[in-house]
């Protein structure tokens, strides 16, 4: 069994840095840990926004994962990974007409509708196509997700329809032509580490489903309870207790399933499944002392991994980082910077690492979630880094590094003497 260090070193030897290196065994075991903690009546939908690499999605698919997508490209990735349309839900607060039409024509399990306007558009497109579109209504509930540092609902956001308004108007939704309302969707928060909070959030959503079903005397067929199960990044955080999670969720879903045996229960998850399976690896380019602080300047920073620098967080805390090639045992305190000409390009502040030399490899662990897909990869035209999967002792290239040509060829050179040259 290779350690993560040997896997990383093998991958870097072949594909260089900066790089995202994924441990396939860890990815599979995280997914299976979640599935095993849930009763059979629950289907896990992997959220592509968290990491949309097609090979990773394919590996998860091979173990049974369904997918949640939020754009036409995520949809294409899910299909290429082998996901069946009936195992895909399509969300997002601003879907384009062509995206909705594609989703309708494919017959996805559900288009998750985020506004009444969107519902009307789907009704029209389905009518034009002569089909009935399967949808779920995304509700922004009156409760705020417990245990989540980042709240998507329970407060004014661009997501879903207000609970009160949706409950009052559900009759109108149900009567719309060419629309089959399968049920409801709520996703309210992310990185929740406390099982009791996930339980309470879920219970609220299942009760809401029950309330709407009874109020409108309707047999729905799906409830998507979101999820938001997290992983610890910082020293004061404790891992989600998966045994407690199982003990709480099993009876909750079990009794719901008894009452609604024909309702597909969906739990979405991204971070929990892939977060700890990814390692962001950079090489130290130079080390210098500047105004009394020691800067370790590397070849990849916030342009590749903005989450690690605390983007979106009020308090900037360091992700776990280690020097995996240092020849020293003693540690020193460093500021770890990336290659950008921005003082904010710091991926480790006052961080203690083993004494570091130029050429060393630094690794930010727990980097599988919200890495390249939520980073400004084009800043300074560096492009997105290479991505590598190590699985069953083999090193697989799963995304080529962007080259200068990749970046420049997307741009169009204007010939100002004549018409623009489109090539
Ligand atoms: C609708 C929806 N589903 C799933 C996810 C994935 O969440 P997580 O990474 O917390 O599992 C998100 C994250 O923002 C989301 O907005």
């Amino acid at each position: 069994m290779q350690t993560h260090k040997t896997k990383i070193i093998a991958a870097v030897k072949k594909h260089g840095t900066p790089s995202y290196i994924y441990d396939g065994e860890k990815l599979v075991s995280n997914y299976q840990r979640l599935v095993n903690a849930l009763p059979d009546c629950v289907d896990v939908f992997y959220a592509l926004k968290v990491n949309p690499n097609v090979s990773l999605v394919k590996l998860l698919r091979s173990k049974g994962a369904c997918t949640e997508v939020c754009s036409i490209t995520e949809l294409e990735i899910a299909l290429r990974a082998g996901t069946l349309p009936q195992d895909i839900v399509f969300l997002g607060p601003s879907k384009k007409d062509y995206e909705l039409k594609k989703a309708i024509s494919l017959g996805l399990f559900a288009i998750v509708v985020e506004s009444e306007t969107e519902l009307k558009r789907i009704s029209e497109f389905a009518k034009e196509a002569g089909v009935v579109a399967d949808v779920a209504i995304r509700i922004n509930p009156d409760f705020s997700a417990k245990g989540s540092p980042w709240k998507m609902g329970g407060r004014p956001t661009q997501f879903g329809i207000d609970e009160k308004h949706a409950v009052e108007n559900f009759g109108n939704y149900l009567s719309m032509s060419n629309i089959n309302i399968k049920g409801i969707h709520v996703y309210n928060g992310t990185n929740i580490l406390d099982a009791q909070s996930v339980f309470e959030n879920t219970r609220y959503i299942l009760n809401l489903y029950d309330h709407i079903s009874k109020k409108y005397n309707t047999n729905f067929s799906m409830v998507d309870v979101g999820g938001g199960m997290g992983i610890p990044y910082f020293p004061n955080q404790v891992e989600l207790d998966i045994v407690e999670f199982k003990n709480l969720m099993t009876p909750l879903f079990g009794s719901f399933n008894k009452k609604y045996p024909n309702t597909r229960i969906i739990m979405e998850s991204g971070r929990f499944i892939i977060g700890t399976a990814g390692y962001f690896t950079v090489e130290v380019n130079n080390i210098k002392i500047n105004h009394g602080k020691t800067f370790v300047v590397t070849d990849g920073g916030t342009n590749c991994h903005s989450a690690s620098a605390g983007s979106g967080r009020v308090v900037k805390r360091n992700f776990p980082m280690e020097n995996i090639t240092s020849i020293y045992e003693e540690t020193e305190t460093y500021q770890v910077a990336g290659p950008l000409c921005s003082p904010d390009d710091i991926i480790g502040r006052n961080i203690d690492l083993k004494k570091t030399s130029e050429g060393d490899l630094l690794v930010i662990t727990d980097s599988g979630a919200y890495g390249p897909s939520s980073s400004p990869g084009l800043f300074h035209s560096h492009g997105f880094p290479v991505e590598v999967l190590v699985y069953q002792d083999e090193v697989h290239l799963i995304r080529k590094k962007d080259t200068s040509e990749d970046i420049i060829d997307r741009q169009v050179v204007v010939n100002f003497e004549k018409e623009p040259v489109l090539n």
Side-chain angles (χ1 to χ4, degrees), residues 48 54 69 71-81 102 106:
L48 258 80
V54 66
V69 302
S71 70
I72 194 91
T73 308
E74 286 190 355
L75 176 54
E76 291 293 348
I77 292 169
L79 294 170
R80 277 195 212 185
K102 176 92 185 184
L106 283 168

Side-chain angles (χ1 to χ4, degrees), residues 47 49-50 68 91 138 152 185 187 190-191 228 268-271 370:
K49 61 176 75 60
V50 178
E68 177 260 313
L91 281 95
R138 180 170 184 173
M152 272 78 166
H185 168 284
Y187 178 91
T190 186
N191 211 27
E268 296 175 13
S269 177
R271 193 190 305 270
Y370 305 99

Side-chain angles (χ1 to χ4, degrees), residues 31 35 43-48 56-68 78 81-84 87-88 264 269 273:
Y31 169 72
V35 170
D43 286 339
V44 173
F45 277 55
Y46 172 68
L48 258 80
L56 301 177
V57 183
K58 192 171 171 186
L59 181 54
L60 287 170
R61 178 67 195 158
S62 74
K63 304 297 169 193
C66 306
T67 51
E68 177 260 313
T83 322
L84 302 174
D87 288 329
I88 299 175
R264 187 178 195 182
S269 177
I273 293 174

